[in-house]
Amino acid sequence: MIDYLIEPAQVHAHRYAVTLKLPRTEGPVRLSLPVWIPGSYLVREFARHLMNLQATQGKTPCRILQEDKTTWLVDAPGRGAITVRYEVYANDTSVRAAFLDARRGFFNGTSVFLCVERQAQGPHRVRITGLPKGWGVATALKPGQVDAHGQGWYEAANYDELVDHPVELGKFWRGQFKARGIPHELVVTGAADDADLDRLMADTQRLCEAQIAFWHGRRKPAFDRYVFLLNMVEDGYGGLEHRESTALICSRRDIPRRGQEPAPSEAYTTLLGLISHEYFHTWNVKRLKPSEFAPYDYTRENYTRMLWFFEGFTSYYDDQFLLRTQRIDAAHYLRLLTKPLNQVLATPGRQVQSVAQASFDAWTRYYRPDENTANATVSYYTKGSLVALALDLSLRLGPARADGRQPSLDGVMLRLWALQRPITEDDVVTALTDEASAPPQHAADWRTQLNDWVHGTDDLPLQALLTEFGVQWTSRKGPVAQQLGVRVQEASGSLKAQAVMHGSAAEAAGISAGDELIALDNWRLRRTDDLTQWRRPERSQSLLICRDQQLQTLTLAATKASDWGQVVALSLASAPTASAELRRKAWLDR
């Protein structure tokens, strides 16, 4: 048994004290700390926050040799158990690492628990103790012996299970509900006094019940308990999935106040979409996972070309379940669909890099965006969700199956789930082929179709597909900055270029990321609205910029109407054909 003791020892210094005890094994003991956390595909170097590493065997100090940036060799020649002590600096407010101050604590196991190599598959325990007065513990880890506040022992079958259960410490609100007979908890930290958490919990319950029914029908899921850990802050958004819990962060203003009108705000709908997304990951990526993640290798990047499926398809279904649980209506759902659609259309990198390659390059590109990111890559979240949309609509356009059921992406997902093993892209092709009654109209077979959409860089035929479902596609000119191909930021009464799109009028004029845009035809630019007021696309104009504290005058050429700066809107067609209306009803009326 591998035992850990973790204490919030120095809250003002943001330091956890960790004690690791392990039985004696033959030869030196190798310890390592993960360099990444599953679900967030970036080498984050958690070991940089590990300090004061010491080891003893009984009362005898052990020699420790550091082998690389994240691995240590403990030389203990005796026969007794080994005790390892160290500290972890924790001041990361995200959901991916560890945090500690006088108000709250939070940690993921990948940030704080050294792995004992060659013993990672055996049982592990962790004791959480030494909490400040009034603090409690919230986690989906299986409790062993704990007190009323949650202090005490927790158990895990192996190291993977140990580090896949984040822990919240502090004073928090806790609500409980059951979804299809499974106990769920909603743990909220930092909420305003009048936040309507009961409403949030009721909406979360509906989403959970719908998703369990989607994956299991009337059967119970493979987990016995689930915990949502939500940290509310002044400004923040994000989530990270785990096998029986999720860590979330949102802004306090995202939650409706008690007594507020029933219509949800866009921010609240976005939060529900995040909850839906992370909960869907309980199946799609935590249990139904790419073959490259079986097992995880915590010491290095774990490459896969399938994040378009595991993140992109999850992004498609998160809003689908808002629709299926009546949290939004069909018109609202179509408005949500326009967000990833317009994001992809505004990304020149979609014509440079396939979504499969973007998945593979996540480790160097997605979490390290710069001024050239939009020109060099495409998001596997957004384009992946559009691939899911295109596949779902293509399946629904085909003839009914012999059993009378209309093919859909739902059927594909359930076929993959039934495999009960890690999957490959070939498995997706097989599931599409088995689910459909015939190949798609625009491809010889589903392998060709998937290859074109996932490994190619052409735009997806979404306009034609959506028309078949009674959805009207309308294009209009976007904001002037988008028409010029420049992303700008307002800051302290000035306008700065953040990124310049390849092939755009802004690039042709010589605008560079970091330039301050000062004046257009001698008219001062302070806000993006000023660009709208003074831009005259039918003629060339002088643009005064400042770069590296030097003034320069550039020329913005006249521009013709083109695809640049186009914004798409989706709406329910007022007079669809009878067949389109039937298809739309089957797709959107849940």
Side-chain angles (χ1 to χ4, degrees), residues 86-136:
Y86 55 96
E87 295 176 325
V88 174
Y89 178 74
N91 198 23
D92 186 328
T93 57
S94 76
V95 296
R96 297 179 291 266
F99 178 80
L100 179 65
D101 70 3
R103 300 166 302 161
R104 68 179 283 263
F106 171 84
F107 62 84
N108 287 289
T110 47
S111 297
V112 298
F113 296 135
L114 284 167
C115 177
V116 183
E117 296 188 8
R118 294 189 297 181
Q119 298 188 46
Q121 299 308 310
H124 289 57
R125 295 191 306 173
V126 56
R127 184 185 178 197
I128 303 173
T129 189
L131 302 185
K133 184 178 180 180
W135 279 28

Side-chain angles (χ1 to χ4, degrees), residues 179-193:
R180 300 278 172 152
I182 303 299
H184 288 60
E185 290 185 3
L186 176 61
V187 176
V188 182
T189 302
D193 291 341

Side-chain angles (χ1 to χ4, degrees), residues 545-552:
I545 69 164
C546 181
R547 182 184 301 167
D548 192 26
Q549 298 194 14
Q550 291 185 330
L551 298 178
Q552 299 182 40

Side-chain angles (χ1 to χ4, degrees), residues 164-334:
D164 206 8
H165 289 80
V167 176
E168 178 75 25
L169 308 173
K171 300 177 181 179
F172 41 74
W173 181 92
R174 191 196 307 254
Q176 299 177 336
F177 63 88
K178 286 188 176 182
R180 300 278 172 152
I182 303 299
H184 288 60
E185 290 185 3
L186 176 61
V187 176
V188 182
T189 302
D193 291 341
D194 60 350
D196 194 347
L197 300 180
D198 290 331
R199 177 179 178 180
L200 176 63
M201 186 166 65
D203 287 337
T204 300
Q205 181 180 18
R206 292 185 181 95
L207 290 168
C208 294
E209 289 176 340
Q211 291 194 20
I212 292 174
F214 173 84
W215 290 103
H216 299 281
R218 295 183 178 276
R219 301 183 303 277
K220 285 190 174 182
F223 53 92
D224 298 323
R225 180 169 166 258
Y226 194 92
V227 180
F228 293 93
L229 302 175
L230 175 59
N231 181 30
M232 294 189 187
V233 295
E234 173 59 23
D235 189 19
Y237 175 83
L240 188 63
E241 70 274 5
H242 298 273
R243 66 178 68 186
E244 295 171 3
S245 61
T246 184
L248 306 160
I249 188 169
C250 75
S251 299
R252 292 185 184 91
R253 67 181 73 92
D254 296 347
I255 304 295
R257 296 179 177 180
R258 288 192 296 271
Q260 218 173 34
E261 67 276 3
S265 67
E266 283 299 317
Y268 182 59
T269 299
T270 299
L271 173 60
L272 291 181
L274 175 66
I275 290 171
S276 178
H277 183 100
E278 303 303 341
Y279 195 67
F280 198 82
H281 271 318
T282 307
W283 295 270
N284 195 37
V285 90
K286 297 310 296 185
R287 290 169 172 83
L288 178 66
K289 61 179 62 177
S291 59
E292 297 90 344
F293 288 0
Y296 293 124
D297 182 348
Y298 296 106
T299 67
R300 55 182 292 276
E301 297 92 336
N302 289 211
Y303 293 102
T304 177
R305 288 182 169 84
M306 289 191 66
L307 293 182
W308 57 268
F309 178 88
F310 292 99
E311 291 293 355
F313 281 39
T314 300
S315 296
Y316 175 65
Y317 274 104
D318 56 24
D319 287 340
Q320 269 283 315
F321 276 99
L322 296 186
L323 178 67
R324 298 181 190 194
T325 56
Q326 291 81 52
R327 299 307 90 201
I328 57 174
D329 59 19
H332 193 169
Y333 174 72
L334 292 179

